[in-house]
Amino acid sequence: MSVRPYIVEYMFDSLVAVDPMADQSVLIERIAELETIKSAAAAGQARAAAALDAARRAGEAASGMPSERRGRGVASEIALARRDSPARGGRHLGFAKALVHEMPHTLHALESGALSEWRATLIVRESACLEVEDRRTLDVELCRDPAGLDGMGDARVAAAAKAIAYRLDPHAVVDRAAKAENERTVTIRPAPDTMTYVTALLPLTQGVSVYAALRREADTRSDGRSRGQVMADTLVERVTGRAAAVPTPIAVNLVMSDDTLLGGDSAPADISGYGPIPAAVARSMVARSVADRRSRATLRRLYTHPRTGALVSMESRARLFPRGLATFIELRDQRCRTPYCDAPIRHRDHAQPWAEGGTTTDENGLGLCERCNYTKEAPGWRVSTSVDKNHTHTAEFTTPTGRRYQSGAPPRGPAITISNLEVRVGIALARHAA
Ligand SMILES: [Zn+2]
């Protein structure tokens, strides 16, 4: 699929052309010009997004759709067109509507290159808690004279917008802070070297007191561990209720090729819900677990050839995916199958709906996040699936305007899955602490 329509090819080429032999001052000039083009393009995308949303809602209103259901899925269409995640698509659309309908000066500053897309986003974000009238005032004060934005970095732009918002409506800012407390949560993501980040988003006072308590603990210990190590160990001990030195059994689902398991291959293994881990680490996890008689790990072949393996051809009359098939889909898809959406899988759903004759099979099954599963049900959306002769599972998403996007399941050779592998994760402690 060509990225650019043929008609604009020539125009586009001259727009972004760079002569590497040009004079240095010309090259710098070119970098500045291209930056302005990026901002102008972002403004154009905002206008197009707001217009698409308005046209879709008008059409749906004319066909008698209740107002709360109108515009469903538009953010996901914008995300696909921008090669971005649906969550970002939602932000892009909110940003576009705010700029086009309420903040003309900020939009103009973006269009002229005085603001980057990110800085314009910061201004929209800081004004989000305001009533429309106040938002318009902020727009005028901050962006009517684009020269005033000259030399302002991200932090200064955000601070200037925040200061105006606070002056215009202090209560709105305080209310927003109270609402933000509802967003408190704990998340996990992989870190390099088979470490992991556990992040807590907390109200300010709680966050500060958690950190202070860990530091206090570190101040009272002098056992050869660094401050950071004591703080990390204390966090684990207090949250899990076990001493950090005592290995904590956790059940993980591990997928790897049999060659990797037997040591003949260095292809990485995959912990479901975490991501790839080095072959050697996976092997030692399995070895330790197998040596431990308390372990209840189950081993199962996965991705076997359709002629020989039952799992791939498993079919059910049930509306809900049976557990084995659901696990299979989850291990196959790894993350939400919508292109560019990296969200974890929450639903194992039918591509072609069950009500329309879709079968409960791995071929018609799709791992999706909550948001994408909901979007798929919006009017005009269609998802079809296929499996080619190399057993690659492909899902094709068709949006209301008829654009098509494909997503293949991540490639994987013959593999085995080890479910419920009990891995004893111990934190290396100075032994004399015990
Ligand atoms: Zn998704």
Side-chain angles (χ1 to χ4, degrees):
M1 192 180 76
S2 169
V3 175
R4 295 172 232 145
Y6 181 72
I7 326 154
V8 298
E9 190 84 21
Y10 172 77
M11 242 176 65
F12 196 92
D13 283 352
S14 57
L15 200 62
V16 300
V18 169
D19 172 12
M21 304 308 286
D23 197 66
Q24 293 179 22
S25 62
V26 173
L27 290 171
I28 273 293
E29 203 48 50
R30 200 70 190 108
I31 290 172
E33 280 168 13
L34 289 167
E35 196 58 38
T36 305
I37 291 171
K38 276 158 70 177
S39 293
Q45 285 180 321
R47 287 189 193 280
L52 172 73
D53 183 71
R56 180 69 51 78
R57 284 170 186 275
E60 288 171 343
S63 72
M65 185 186 279
S67 61
E68 69 277 6
R69 288 184 50 207
R70 292 176 210 156
R72 228 173 92 181
V74 172
S76 292
E77 281 174 80
I78 292 167
L80 284 166
R82 291 192 57 163
R83 302 193 181 89
D84 226 336
S85 72
R88 289 239 184 88
R91 255 179 285 161
H92 292 320
L93 179 57
F95 168 77
K97 286 161 78 172
L99 283 187
V100 171
H101 301 312
E102 294 160 10
M103 306 179 79
H105 296 289
T106 309
L107 178 60
H108 182 253
L110 178 64
E111 208 145 45
S112 65
L115 282 174
S116 66
E117 185 175 27
W118 177 240
R119 287 185 195 140
T121 306
L122 291 174
I123 295 172
V124 170
R125 191 181 74 190
E126 294 305 334
S127 71
C129 59
L130 299 176
E131 300 285 335
V132 178
E133 272 322 298
D134 286 337
R135 191 180 259 209
R136 287 186 194 281
T137 307
L138 181 146
D139 176 55
V140 170
E141 281 191 29
L142 194 56
C143 298
R144 184 167 53 188
D145 175 20
L149 298 162
D150 235 15
M152 284 171 87
D154 296 352
R156 271 184 64 198
V157 163
K162 205 179 291 207
I164 296 172
Y166 194 73
R167 195 190 71 233
L168 291 175
D169 189 351
H171 294 298
V173 178
V174 173
D175 287 350
R176 186 166 78 156
K179 238 169 92 189
E181 288 198 7
N182 294 331
E183 318 262 288
R184 64 189 184 274
T185 188
V186 177
T187 54
I188 185 165
R189 67 196 162 90
D193 305 324
T194 60
M195 299 285 280
T196 191
Y197 296 106
V198 174
T199 309
L201 180 65
L202 298 173
L204 181 68
T205 48
Q206 290 181 10
V208 168
S209 58
V210 167
Y211 190 74
L214 294 173
R215 280 191 66 116
R216 206 161 40 240
E217 189 63 26
D219 288 339
T220 62
R221 300 287 187 99
S222 54
D223 52 17
R225 288 180 292 168
S226 73
R227 291 178 67 84
Q229 287 168 346
V230 174
M231 287 168 73
D233 295 344
T234 308
L235 179 75
V236 172
E237 281 164 16
R238 299 211 178 147
V239 174
T240 64
R242 290 163 190 266
V246 177
T248 313
I250 53 158
V252 297
N253 292 332
L254 197 62
V255 181
M256 63 174 109
S257 76
D258 22 17
D259 277 351
T260 293
L261 177 63
L262 299 173
D265 194 1
S266 58
D270 198 278
I271 292 186
S272 146
Y274 173 84
I277 58 167
V281 174
R283 272 197 294 275
S284 86
M285 269 184 177
V286 176
R288 260 183 288 163
S289 171
V290 169
D292 186 341
R293 278 178 290 115
R294 288 167 297 182
S295 174
R296 291 184 298 271
T298 54
L299 210 102
R300 177 165 58 195
R301 283 200 70 86
L302 181 72
Y303 270 64
T304 42
H305 196 276
R307 276 201 303 271
T308 55
L311 190 63
V312 176
S313 56
M314 187 191 271
E315 188 165 335
S316 169
R317 285 179 195 281
R319 177 178 188 155
L320 292 174
F321 284 95
R323 215 167 139 227
L325 190 53
T327 306
F328 173 84
I329 291 168
E330 212 166 296
L331 292 170
R332 178 193 68 197
D333 293 351
Q334 296 180 22
R335 292 190 172 270
C336 175
R337 280 291 291 280
T338 301
Y340 317 111
C341 182
D342 288 333
I345 294 173
R346 291 268 177 273
H347 296 272
R348 275 77 32 184
D349 204 7
H350 300 72
Q352 189 192 1
W354 187 75
E356 292 167 23
T359 53
T360 304
T361 56
D362 64 281
E363 178 169 341
N364 191 43
L366 212 54
L368 290 173
C369 73
E370 211 157 342
R371 179 191 190 117
C372 293
N373 196 37
Y374 183 67
T375 299
K376 174 170 93 53
E377 309 294 328
W381 284 75
R382 218 172 49 245
V383 186
S384 61
T385 50
S386 61
V387 176
D388 69 12
K389 61 181 188 319
N390 297 319
H391 315 297
T392 304
H393 185 268
T394 302
E396 185 173 84
F397 294 74
T398 309
T399 64
T401 62
R403 273 190 78 117
R404 289 175 188 184
Y405 303 87
Q406 289 195 340
S407 97
R412 214 179 243 165
I416 47 170
T417 166
I418 303 172
S419 320
N420 264 330
L421 177 68
E422 285 199 6
V423 181
R424 283 168 204 277
V425 182
I427 290 183
L429 277 182
R431 283 293 161 201
H432 63 266

